[in-house]
Amino acid sequence: MKNAIGRSLPEYVEGYGKVKPFAGAFATEPDMTRQAPKVKRILPGEQKLVEDLETVFKRIPVTNGMTLSFHHHLRNGDGVVNMVLEVAAKLGIKDLTLAMSSVFPVHAPIIEHVKSGVVTRLDTNYMSGPVAQAVSRGLFPHPVVLRTHGGRGRAIECGQLKIDVAFIAAPTADDYGDLNGVQGQAACGSLGYAFPDAQYADNVVAITDNLVPYPLSPISIPQTRVDYVVKVDCIGDPKGIVSGTTKITRDPVGLRIAETTAKVIKAADLIKDGFSFQTGAGGASLAAAYYVRQMMEESGVTGSFALGGITGYMVEMLEKGLFRNLIDVQGFDLDAVRSLANNPNHLECGADFYASPFNMGAAVNKLDAVVLGATEIDTNFNVNVVTGSDGVIMGGSGGHSDAAAGAKITIVVANLLRGRLPIIMDKVLTATTPGETVDVLVTERGVAVNPRRTDLQEQFKAAGLPLKSAEELKQLAEQIAGVPESIKTLDKVVAIVEYRDGTVIDVVRQVG
């Protein structure tokens, strides 16, 4: 069968179930109720602090077939996932589902746990490194489910992703289970991607290497949702958690794209008081923010908020009065951690507040402009951020589809060629974000506007922007680098790419 963007999908996938095809960005309405975790209590004098993880496993108890969840705020510095799985393997537990908001190279030991049967399923929003490569080559016995950040929050709230035990890496905790991410040697900033897990899991275990006297202040996740606290020597390597100060690109091509992106936002008449903005932490994205900042300063504009993963550059804009607030679901550097700890206008939010499509108002719905990247984009403006040019998984939607759906204008920025391969094609290998939610493509050779946005076409023409059609940019890239060969994949479905509403926008098939 085919979905609304013409992707061919199987009607049923073994290990996943019946496939509900993507019908459009806003076509699927909720028809469920929010779920609730088990009601429990603790009596006066009872303790939550437990001597080690093995004791926690036995008290819960963790058994075969359970779903264990983890957040990714420690990124490639995370030590908790591997620590927990070592205990599961030692106790002989099998057939676990890992519900991880993201997977990084540091999580390579998962591969051996799959081979031994400890882990059989994976549910995540993003993956890179050895686990992603192993998934692409068919290691897992069941297809991996790839969600969006908002889609994961929705799935947890609505009971489609039922968590038996949430293991929360807590940079700081007290012995009664109050947690935050802004203190301690492994401080990571916002704990927003763990909020739904803490709220809806049947059991919540905090793992910390910085135990402080009760009561902790400030509190990100409260004691009322935490069952056990375990003190360990180290939850993660700070070098892999934050990057210090994220840098603006110095690449001339990237700077040209960034400057054009800012001109696109200005031409759309969005640089005015109350402006709201989201961009990534990459060099080109930060460069776009730099040019937007210049325009805001020249016009005396005060924006309402910046959203998403927060960098030191956004913190600086807040402190200079260019934005009234930051809404932070994930900190990317040390300045973001510091700001969240100290500035009351820097707000911490959960994944559901940030981007769930099934609530009464996700923050992405209030965005004026979002700047996003792409591995590939096709002439219908569908974007791939899941697979690389070799067909191997190297990313995931994260908040890509969520922000694209919510913003007034969604801008994809990309070099016309990546690694001597054209970025624009007739059909992306893996569809992640549907073209109906993507408005503009900015490259170093021109700006393409989605034909749906005739209003933008007129505004950009009047502003003198270098307009080209997506087809013209594709032809230009192919004149330079030639037409790339099609990727050949096998029949086995190794991953299901869910849109934010839980429908299937595409599947990933095994590479040879």
Side-chain angles (χ1 to χ4, degrees):
M1 64 178 172
K2 290 191 174 182
N3 64 14
I5 60 169
R7 308 300 291 198
S8 295
L9 304 173
E11 294 186 8
Y12 182 90
V13 177
E14 192 67 38
Y16 175 79
K18 187 177 179 182
V19 172
K20 185 177 181 180
F22 171 74
F26 304 102
T28 301
E29 296 186 8
D31 61 354
M32 70 286 289
T33 58
R34 282 190 175 83
Q35 304 300 297
K38 295 175 181 176
V39 174
K40 291 178 282 188
R41 67 173 184 172
I42 186 169
L43 298 177
E46 292 183 342
Q47 303 298 313
K48 294 184 181 181
L49 190 61
V50 178
E51 61 187 68
D52 55 34
L53 275 171
E54 191 169 331
T55 303
V56 168
F57 266 67
K58 292 173 181 176
R59 284 195 189 177
I60 288 175
V62 179
T63 56
N64 294 346
M66 279 189 167
T67 295
L68 312 184
S69 81
F70 304 87
H71 70 83
H72 75 275
H73 293 285
L74 302 187
R75 287 188 287 281
N76 204 39
D78 175 54
V80 168
V81 171
N82 297 337
M83 186 189 308
V84 169
L85 290 181
E86 283 179 14
V87 174
K90 177 182 177 182
L91 296 177
I93 296 169
K94 302 288 186 181
D95 194 28
L96 294 173
T97 295
L98 302 185
M100 300 171 60
S101 53
S102 289
V103 179
F104 289 92
V106 73
H107 299 125
I110 289 173
I111 293 171
E112 293 306 315
H113 293 302
V114 174
K115 291 178 179 178
S116 66
V118 174
V119 174
T120 55
R121 297 176 186 268
L122 175 62
D123 193 300
T124 190
N125 310 344
Y126 173 96
M127 64 170 78
S128 64
V131 174
Q133 294 162 15
V135 169
S136 300
R137 291 180 170 82
L139 173 69
F140 276 73
H142 305 293
V144 169
V145 180
L146 291 172
R147 305 184 191 269
T148 75
H149 284 328
R152 183 178 188 270
R154 170 202 54 78
I156 293 171
E157 289 181 335
C158 299
Q160 294 167 336
L161 177 54
K162 185 71 177 70
I163 297 170
D164 294 297
V165 189
F167 289 93
I168 298 179
T172 296
D174 62 34
D175 66 357
Y176 217 47
D178 297 305
L179 319 177
N180 75 43
V182 297
Q183 300 164 353
Q185 65 181 10
C188 59
S190 173
L191 294 178
Y193 289 126
F195 283 14
D197 307 56
Q199 186 66 28
Y200 290 93
D202 279 345
N203 300 275
V204 178
V205 180
I207 303 174
T208 190
D209 55 11
N210 187 39
L211 191 68
V212 299
Y214 181 88
L216 172 67
S217 177
I219 295 171
S220 295
I221 294 173
Q223 62 196 38
T224 53
R225 289 301 309 138
V226 177
D227 299 280
Y228 299 102
V229 178
V230 181
K231 170 74 165 61
V232 297
D233 292 334
C234 179
I235 63 167
D237 179 1
K239 293 177 183 176
I241 296 170
V242 293
S243 56
T245 303
T246 314
K247 301 291 187 183
I248 293 171
T249 183
R250 294 179 179 269
D251 171 51
V253 174
L255 288 172
R256 190 185 319 157
I257 292 171
E259 186 174 14
T260 303
T261 299
K263 290 177 179 177
V264 163
I265 296 171
K266 183 176 182 180
D269 194 30
L270 294 175
I271 305 293
K272 54 190 176 184
D273 283 343
F275 172 62
S276 56
F277 187 47
Q278 178 173 334
T279 189
S285 296
L286 285 178
Y290 167 80
Y291 288 111
V292 167
R293 173 179 176 168
Q294 283 189 327
M295 292 175 179
M296 293 174 72
E297 288 176 332
E298 289 168 4
S299 303
V301 164
T302 300
S304 54
F305 69 94
L307 177 65
I310 298 300
T311 63
Y313 196 75
M314 289 299 172
V315 168
E316 189 176 326
M317 292 180 77
L318 173 70
E319 292 174 348
K320 295 287 186 182
L322 293 169
F323 287 108
R324 293 196 303 271
N325 294 100
L326 300 181
I327 303 178
D328 187 348
V329 71
Q330 176 178 204
F332 278 120
D333 57 32
L334 292 170
D335 285 334
V337 176
R338 171 191 56 78
S339 175
L340 182 63
N342 299 320
N343 193 328
N345 295 319
H346 188 155
L347 311 174
E348 185 175 18
C349 76
D352 50 342
F353 182 103
Y354 167 52
S356 172
F358 287 177
N359 62 27
M360 289 306 293
V364 292
N365 295 348
K366 299 290 283 182
L367 280 171
D368 286 323
V370 63
V371 179
L372 301 169
T375 306
E376 302 171 333
I377 186 169
D378 64 29
T379 51
N380 290 316
F381 287 78
N382 300 306
V383 177
N384 172 18
V385 288
V386 169
T387 49
S389 58
D390 55 0
V392 175
I393 297 170
M394 43 67 69
S397 178
H400 197 286
S401 297
D402 300 312
K408 287 180 183 175
I409 181 171
T410 298
I411 305 165
V412 169
V413 297
N415 290 27
L416 199 59
L417 301 177
R418 177 175 284 119
R420 296 293 300 170
L421 291 174
I423 195 172
I424 308 172
M425 49 206 56
D426 291 324
K427 183 179 179 181
V428 292
L429 178 62
T430 307
T432 313
T433 297
E436 69 177 284
T437 65
V438 177
D439 302 302
V440 183
L441 168 64
V442 178
T443 75
E444 74 277 19
R445 298 296 187 100
V447 175
V449 179
N450 191 321
R452 293 170 176 263
R453 296 300 304 268
T454 55
D455 57 328
L456 294 179
Q457 287 274 10
E458 295 304 315
Q459 289 173 294
F460 294 173
K461 190 181 298 182
L465 289 169
L467 295 179
K468 288 184 171 64
S469 69
E471 288 80 5
E472 287 172 330
L473 288 173
K474 174 179 175 288
Q475 289 169 7
L476 180 57
E478 290 174 352
Q479 287 170 8
I480 298 169
V483 179
E485 293 184 13
S486 299
I487 301 296
K488 294 194 175 11
T489 58
L490 306 179
D491 290 337
K492 181 180 176 181
V493 173
V494 297
I496 306 289
V497 184
E498 284 194 358
Y499 190 59
R500 59 200 300 256
D501 59 11
T503 59
V504 176
I505 194 165
D506 212 343
V507 297
V508 180
R509 298 186 184 274
Q510 183 178 345
V511 297

